[in-house]
């Protein structure tokens, strides 16, 4: 079935074109997949629901990686996937086995962080579908550079030893797209599907192999490209996109599939209400460029002496815009070249102007209180009331105790050396409490013991109830 390219400058409606096409496919009860980069999959799902009205097995917004998990799971080809920690252990194991064969990397192999570097290198190899055999074969052509040849040889051996260490028991997530490309011909339902691939700046070799597999099974493939032209002579900022187009044409030729005439979208919907932004987008790469002579309202430049004054100016302008235009704070975005530099100052300045702000940075999931509560609770249910797990649960803020009561109970647990069995016996718990507080002068031992018993029962009762529910449930649904 055919390959179709849809191209146009920014804001010409390429994503809308895909949404409208999928809407028509849904009305005809046909299967359509919208494939976007991983980080845009949630937004794509939301927009597709808004346009089509629903998502189903036949109408999906997904990414290459998510699609690979889905197809491999449905066909029974998905083995347990090794995580980053396991991958590091496998690489360390490979380095240990090759210790005597390494010369260039012998010293680096013992340094912390080297396994992470190798992990990233192997990931890039897999994305480019480069095998250990290909690496070792390349070394035969590097007679003029012995050092580089030795490095490449050792990388090939490490890569080969890592793959061998998986021993057909585990999957590396970086191999999923390669496996997907081999599995697609075995899924008959895909030959009647239409794939809309949107939002990609360039494709990896593994992604191109998947697109080729889509075409060879008989599926329709529509790819959007953000470029005003498909000319191969384009050497500006759109050169990687036009190279993508050339790679897709070459791929279609090798797959012996039809290529439809490309669809060019010219109307710039995004900038119809702003002449200066439309001019900037149009003239950004033009040489010689044409100056915009009319007064500007949507573009302004401000030069500050330091970052602090820059952030203050941004806060003042945001406050003014919200007050005069009546828009919400959530409709305003700040793009910083160096987020690490700006975020501390923004956190200091914006509260002074009563501006709520969300800073989009990566945060440790395990450091979030709700996750701390969840995992410590699971450990309590599976391993019993071990002191570290109990204290972790108390510190999460979800134990039902106030911060003061949680701190008091934590201090007592550490001071009295409370064990697993002490939590279940009120008599033993009371004896330990009386022993600890019998010499207290400011409060009687019985009064302090009573407060601790209340705290113990408050956090303990829900956990025991949950444990009973788990124990009495025979099927997962009842849990």
């Amino acid at each position: 079935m055919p390959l179709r390219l849809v191209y146009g400058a920014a804001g010409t409606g390429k994503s809308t074109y895909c949404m409208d096409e999928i809407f028509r496919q849904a009305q005809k009860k046909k299967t359509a997949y919208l494939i976007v980069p991983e980080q845009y999959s949630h937004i794509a799902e939301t927009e597709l629901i808004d346009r089509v009205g629903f998502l189903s097995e036949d109408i999906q917004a997904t990414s290459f990686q998510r699609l690979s998990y889905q197809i491999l799971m449905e066909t029974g080809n998905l083995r347990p996937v090794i995580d980053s920690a396991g991958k590091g252990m496998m690489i360390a194991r490979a380095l240990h086995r090759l210790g005597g064969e390494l010369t260039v990397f012998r010293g680096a192999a013992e340094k912390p962080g080297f396994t992470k570097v190798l992990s990233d290198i192997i990931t890039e190899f897999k994305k480019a579908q480069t095998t250990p055999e290909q690496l070792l074969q390349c070394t035969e052509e590097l007679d003029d550079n012995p050092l580089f040849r030795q490095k490449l040889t050792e990388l090939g051996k490490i890569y080969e030893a890592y793959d061998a260490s998986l021993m057909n028991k585990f999957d590396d997530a970086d191999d999923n797209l390669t496996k997907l490309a081999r599995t697609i011909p075995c899924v008959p339902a895909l030959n009647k599907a239409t794939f809309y691939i949107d939002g990609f700046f360039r494709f990896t070799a593994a992604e191109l192999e998947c697109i080729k597999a889509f075409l060879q099974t008989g599926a329709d493939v529509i790819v959007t490209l953000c470029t005003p032209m498909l000319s191969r002579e384009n050497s500006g900022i759109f050169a990687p996109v036009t190279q993508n187009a050339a790679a897709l044409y070459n791929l279609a030729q090798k797959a012996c599939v039809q290529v439809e005439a490309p669809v060019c979208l010219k109307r710039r919907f995004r900038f119809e209400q702003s002449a200066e932004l439309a001019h900037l987008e149009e003239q950004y790469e033009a040489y010689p460029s044409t100056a915009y002579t009319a007064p500007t309202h949507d573009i302004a430049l401000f030069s500050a002496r330091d970052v602090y004054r820059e952030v203050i100016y941004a806060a003042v302008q945001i406050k003014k815009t919200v007050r005069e235009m009546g828009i919400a704070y959530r409709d305003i975005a700040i793009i910083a070249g160096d987020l690490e530099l700006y975020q501390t100052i923004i956190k200091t300045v914006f509260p002074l102007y009563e501006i709520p702000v969300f800073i989009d940075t990566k945060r440790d999931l395990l450091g979030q209180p709700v996750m701390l509560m969840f995992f410590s609770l699971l450990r309590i249910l599976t391993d019993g009331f071990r002191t570290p797990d109990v204290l972790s649960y108390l510190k999460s803020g979800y134990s039902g105790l106030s911060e003061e009561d949680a701190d008091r109970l934590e201090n007592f647990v550490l001071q009295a050396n409370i064990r697993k069995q002490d939590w279940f016996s009120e008599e033993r718990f009371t004896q330990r409490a009386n022993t600890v507080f019998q010499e207290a002068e400011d409060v009687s031992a019985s009064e302090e013991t009573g407060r601790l018993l209340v705290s113990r029962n408050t956090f303990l009762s829900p956990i025991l109830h949950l444990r009973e529910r788990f124990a009495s449930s025979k099927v997962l649904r009842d849990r």
Side-chain angles (χ1 to χ4, degrees):
M1 297 299 285
L3 166 71
R4 187 195 317 160
L5 300 186
V6 180
Y7 69 98
T12 53
K14 296 179 293 297
S15 296
T16 303
Y17 177 93
C18 293
M19 297 288 179
D20 292 341
E21 287 269 318
I22 294 174
F23 177 73
R24 287 190 283 270
Q25 296 282 0
Q27 288 182 320
K28 297 176 182 177
K29 309 295 184 183
K30 293 186 177 181
T31 302
Y33 293 88
L34 175 62
I35 300 179
V36 296
E38 186 72 38
Q39 63 269 30
Y40 299 133
S41 58
H42 177 68
I43 296 175
E45 283 184 341
T46 303
E47 293 178 348
L48 192 57
I49 291 174
D50 291 340
R51 181 66 183 92
V52 179
F54 65 91
L55 293 178
S56 66
E57 291 185 0
D58 295 329
I59 303 295
Q60 296 186 36
T62 186
S63 64
F64 278 108
Q65 197 64 247
R66 288 172 61 187
L67 183 64
S68 70
Y69 277 108
Q70 177 184 337
I71 299 298
L72 294 176
M73 187 175 295
E74 290 176 356
T75 56
N77 292 323
L78 185 64
R79 292 192 293 263
V81 178
I82 194 169
D83 59 12
S84 57
K87 188 173 182 178
M89 293 174 64
M90 290 296 188
I91 292 174
R93 181 181 181 183
L95 289 172
H96 179 72
R97 288 183 174 181
L98 295 171
E101 302 179 36
L102 300 180
T103 55
V104 177
F105 293 126
R106 180 177 297 173
E110 300 176 358
K111 294 182 178 179
F114 185 61
T115 55
K116 177 64 171 63
V117 174
L118 288 177
S119 176
D120 293 340
I121 292 174
I122 290 175
T123 295
E124 292 303 317
F125 283 153
K126 289 182 179 292
K127 285 182 179 179
Q129 291 195 315
T130 302
T131 64
E133 293 76 16
Q134 290 173 326
L135 282 179
L136 296 173
Q137 187 177 357
C138 287
T139 60
E140 300 174 2
E141 304 173 5
L142 297 173
D143 295 332
D144 57 335
N145 194 333
L147 179 59
F148 181 61
R149 177 180 180 178
Q150 185 61 28
K151 284 184 177 180
L152 205 59
T153 300
E154 294 185 9
L155 280 176
K157 290 182 178 180
I158 295 170
Y159 185 9
E160 187 176 44
Y162 166 73
D163 275 351
S165 66
L166 298 179
M167 296 180 296
N168 295 323
K169 294 183 179 179
F170 301 98
D171 275 338
D172 187 330
D174 297 321
D175 287 325
N176 281 353
L177 294 189
T178 302
K179 292 182 64 178
L180 173 63
R182 293 197 300 262
T183 307
I184 287 171
C186 304
V187 185
L190 296 181
N191 60 13
K192 297 180 181 179
T194 303
F195 292 90
Y196 296 87
I197 303 175
D198 181 43
F200 286 86
F201 181 66
R202 60 166 58 91
F203 295 107
T204 65
E207 290 167 346
L208 286 172
E209 197 65 26
C210 290
I211 295 174
K212 181 181 177 182
F214 293 150
L215 292 169
Q216 289 178 328
T217 57
D220 292 338
V221 177
I222 293 88
V223 182
T224 65
L225 299 172
C226 185
T227 176
M229 64 183 73
L230 290 180
S231 172
R232 297 192 181 188
E233 287 74 28
N234 190 348
S235 59
I237 59 172
F238 297 107
V241 184
T242 54
Q243 292 169 7
N244 246 350
L248 289 168
Y249 282 136
N250 185 47
L251 178 148
Q253 184 178 3
K254 290 182 179 179
C256 299
V257 298
Q258 176 189 354
V259 178
E260 294 184 354
V263 177
C264 179
L265 304 179
K266 296 182 179 180
R267 182 178 173 183
R268 289 175 166 84
F269 297 94
R270 185 177 299 167
F271 306 121
E272 284 185 337
Q273 305 301 320
S274 176
E276 57 255 48
L277 286 174
H279 180 85
L280 177 63
E281 194 278 334
E282 184 178 352
Q283 297 293 320
Y284 180 76
E285 199 187 12
Y287 183 82
S289 59
T290 303
Y292 185 80
T293 56
T296 59
H297 302 284
D298 298 331
I299 301 175
L301 297 178
F302 174 76
S303 178
R305 285 190 294 176
D306 53 53
V307 176
Y308 190 78
R309 287 181 173 84
E310 187 180 357
V311 173
I312 290 178
Y313 176 80
V316 171
Q317 292 302 310
I318 289 172
K319 201 73 176 178
K320 179 181 177 183
T321 301
V322 170
R323 183 175 62 251
E324 295 180 354
M325 299 181 63
I327 64 175
Y329 287 112
R330 65 174 177 269
D331 296 325
I332 299 174
I334 297 174
I335 301 176
D338 185 354
L339 190 57
E340 292 293 328
L341 175 64
Y342 281 87
Q343 65 174 336
T344 303
I345 302 176
I346 289 175
K347 289 178 181 178
T348 303
V349 172
F350 276 38
L352 300 177
Y353 290 85
E354 298 181 343
I355 299 175
V357 59
F358 167 74
I359 299 179
D360 188 13
T361 56
K362 289 185 178 181
R363 290 172 289 180
D364 183 13
L365 182 63
L366 297 180
Q368 302 304 309
V370 65
M371 299 306 297
L372 182 65
M373 178 275 295
F374 181 73
F375 284 113
S376 58
L377 179 58
L378 287 180
R379 286 193 294 268
I380 289 173
L381 293 173
T382 55
D383 301 333
F385 285 73
R386 297 188 305 119
T387 298
D389 298 332
V390 171
L391 297 183
S392 178
Y393 180 76
L394 292 175
K395 292 176 182 178
S396 70
Y398 290 91
S399 63
L401 300 177
S402 66
E403 186 176 349
E404 180 183 355
D405 290 338
D407 289 341
R408 182 185 296 108
L409 186 58
E410 177 186 1
N411 292 336
F412 166 70
V413 168
L414 296 175
Q415 189 174 0
N417 194 22
I418 296 296
R419 304 289 185 180
K420 288 183 182 181
Q421 58 272 20
D422 297 330
W423 292 106
F424 303 102
S425 172
E426 184 171 326
E427 181 181 355
R428 294 184 58 166
F429 191 89
T430 302
Q431 288 177 351
R432 286 184 176 273
N434 289 333
T435 302
V436 170
F437 298 114
Q438 63 183 354
E439 297 180 0
E441 299 178 358
D442 55 336
V443 64
S444 66
S446 59
E447 182 179 345
E448 187 67 19
T449 300
R451 295 171 65 179
L452 287 172
L453 280 173
V454 171
S455 297
R456 163 190 172 271
N457 295 333
T458 299
F459 104 91
L460 187 62
S461 297
I463 298 177
L464 294 179
H465 177 68
L466 181 63
R467 189 171 69 170
E468 290 175 3
R469 288 286 303 274
F470 276 0
S472 61
S473 301
K474 295 183 179 180
V475 294
L476 185 62
R477 186 182 295 107
D478 295 337
R479 299 185 179 184

